[in-house]
Amino acid sequence: MHVSHLQNWLMAMIEVPKDDSINSLCSSCSSISDKVYVPWGCELTSSKETAVFEVDYPLECQFFVRTICLSAGASDDMHVVAVCDGDGKVKEVPIATLHHTMPMVSFQAFELTPPVTFKLASGKGPVFITGQHITIGLEEDES
């Protein structure tokens, strides 16, 4: 698969919520002025086993993992993707096991709190991860 085709496919996998459910996730906010949906992705390989997603203001954003996909050119090994906190101080937790018989995992609402580190815990990859970073713009209450 060519890189441009892969990028188009990954972008098609990222969905913007059609309802207004994000408003209920921010119950302490006085009002929400706008939401910015930003796609995020990374590639994990044997030469680059980790990728970190971090933001400057973690309380004003949400991060959702959408898809973890094994490359067609990957070895026939089991590939395990794990996550841990951004500093790597907390023990990693496996979130996906991929093989050519099950090359992709999709998530509906798998939210992680930034910063988060993705790690290729087993296998050589390449493994592609897509996510969605949602930034919430807040307005001050004028009461």
Side-chain angles (χ1 to χ4, degrees):
M1 189 179 282
H2 295 298
V3 173
S4 62
H5 288 59
L6 179 61
Q7 288 172 338
N8 290 337
W9 179 81
L10 290 174
M11 292 301 291
M13 297 301 295
I14 298 173
E15 299 174 22
V16 174
K18 293 180 175 75
D19 62 3
D20 208 25
S21 61
I22 195 166
N23 289 332
S24 64
L25 296 173
C26 190
S27 59
S28 64
C29 303
S30 55
S31 67
I32 297 178
S33 62
D34 60 325
K35 298 169 237 172
V36 179
Y37 299 88
V38 180
W40 180 87
C42 69
E43 178 180 3
L44 302 177
T45 64
S46 58
S47 61
K48 186 178 183 287
E49 293 182 334
T50 61
V52 178
F53 174 80
E54 57 188 333
V55 292
D56 293 333
Y57 304 100
L59 297 178
E60 297 176 6
C61 82
Q62 296 175 301
F63 179 71
F64 294 92
V65 178
R66 294 295 185 193
T67 307
I68 301 176
C69 180
L70 183 62
S71 169
S75 65
D76 200 29
D77 302 331
M78 285 291 218
H79 296 76
V80 178
V81 176
V83 294
C84 61
D85 67 340
D87 298 331
K89 294 178 182 174
V90 176
K91 185 177 179 178
E92 60 194 43
V93 176
I95 59 170
T97 301
L98 304 171
H99 189 265
H100 286 291
T101 57
M102 188 176 138
M104 183 173 73
V105 176
S106 295
F107 300 98
Q108 287 295 322
F110 184 31
E111 182 178 1
L112 296 171
T113 303
V116 61
T117 299
F118 294 91
K119 180 178 181 185
L120 185 59
S122 176
K124 297 177 182 171
V127 172
F128 302 99
I129 301 171
T130 64
Q132 187 174 40
H133 170 217
I134 303 172
T135 301
I136 303 169
L138 304 177
E139 292 180 354
E140 296 286 326
D141 229 358
E142 296 183 14
S143 321

